[in-house]
Amino acid sequence: MALFSRRNKSDSDDASADRPDSTIEPGEQPVDPAGPSDATPAAQQAPAAPTVGISMSSFRGVGAGPENPSAPPLSARPSARQPGPMEAPEAPETVQGLRDNALLGIALAEIKDQPEPAQLLNVARQLLQGHVFLRVKGDARALLAEGKDLPLAVANRGDEQLVLAYSGGMALRASVEADGDHDTSAMGQPVMALLQHVLGGSYAGIVLDPASGDNRAVLPKALLERMVAEVDPELRIKTALCETRDETTASTIVDAMVAEAPMWIAVAQTEEGGPVGVAESRSAGGERYLEVFTHPLELLALGRGDQPLPVKPLQLAKALAGDAELTGVLIDPAGPWIRLTRDELAPVIALAAEDTAPTS
């Protein structure tokens, strides 16, 4: 059964068509109804797609020594943003039966005036945590029971349409209060379902929390495409990081790592013409943790200038097996984050031994 409806621009308005949301006003919201122009602030444009200009052979593979054996490891440099909390905050239930996406709400709350590119990257990475709220014209349950598509709220930008999504119930209520249309329903949807719907249609992007003053953001289709192209479709590690932690959290993440959930490391050249280093974090006690990221956005949002480089489980296993002084890994330092010790990473490290075991 379809959860979403699509229409051509030539289709007439009816009860099953996506509808414009009147909370998007000319000159007031970040979506310009007149369409893009030279006067559009740069912060509202799609950030340039990040590129990785360093190949694995540049530093002889993860775990291999640098060309200059005396070169120290690359310690993580100060970030442009403060690391987030280790665990996600408890999400309130502002709509009965639906919890807010607290991480996305916090990221949007950082925006003041026009959003900076780094702030949009932070919003984009937190959008990948969990779910969003959608606004549906009419009674969503009744429409589904009747087998009808759900007419989602959209914003118009010239000839383009952008889907409206919300971090929580309060943001959605702000839209209802702004336009007075109370014939509306709130529906929670996994974020991947929303992204696939947007990218599968003719939409130009997503508007998040459109009636929340400065705390709103526009994510263009080009950025959404990059997000989906490099994400784990099942969001295995990200989901474990944003849920309440228990004794199974570490093993759940390690299992996902062994099963080849996408991972990245941070690499940079220590000096012009010098060796390429892999970033690691160090605790106050001097413990060394290799930094690992679930998506390039997790690294780029830190604003350190490092390059994301994909890493396979076997490469990570060899890095840990080849350096006994590595305490473990630190996943997604921007938060929510987790440190995993060598003992917890034993199934990953075992991949290195299996790779070198003689075959009969």
Side-chain angles (χ1 to χ4, degrees), residues 75 148 167 188 218 224 273 284 313 329 337 349:
S75 297
K148 295 181 178 179
S167 62
V218 179
L224 301 181
V329 300
W337 52 267
I349 299 174

Side-chain angles (χ1 to χ4, degrees), residues 235-248:
L235 299 175
R236 289 165 287 183
I237 298 178
K238 279 187 170 294
T239 298
L241 288 175
C242 69
E243 289 183 343
T244 302
R245 308 284 172 91
D246 58 29
E247 66 277 2
T248 68

Side-chain angles (χ1 to χ4, degrees), residues 77-86 110 122 125-126 281 291 301-302 304 330 332-337:
R77 292 172 297 289
S79 302
R81 61 176 296 106
Q82 290 296 316
M86 178 177 70
E110 293 181 4
N122 188 46
R125 80 178 183 91
Q126 296 294 33
S281 293
E291 292 189 346
L302 291 172
R304 298 193 314 220
L330 169 63
D332 286 354
W337 52 267

Side-chain angles (χ1 to χ4, degrees), residues 118-140:
Q119 291 174 326
L120 290 180
L121 291 177
N122 188 46
V123 168
R125 80 178 183 91
Q126 296 294 33
L127 177 62
L128 291 173
Q129 310 275 14
H131 65 281
V132 290
F133 286 23
L134 302 175
R135 186 178 177 185
V136 179
K137 177 67 174 178
D139 186 328

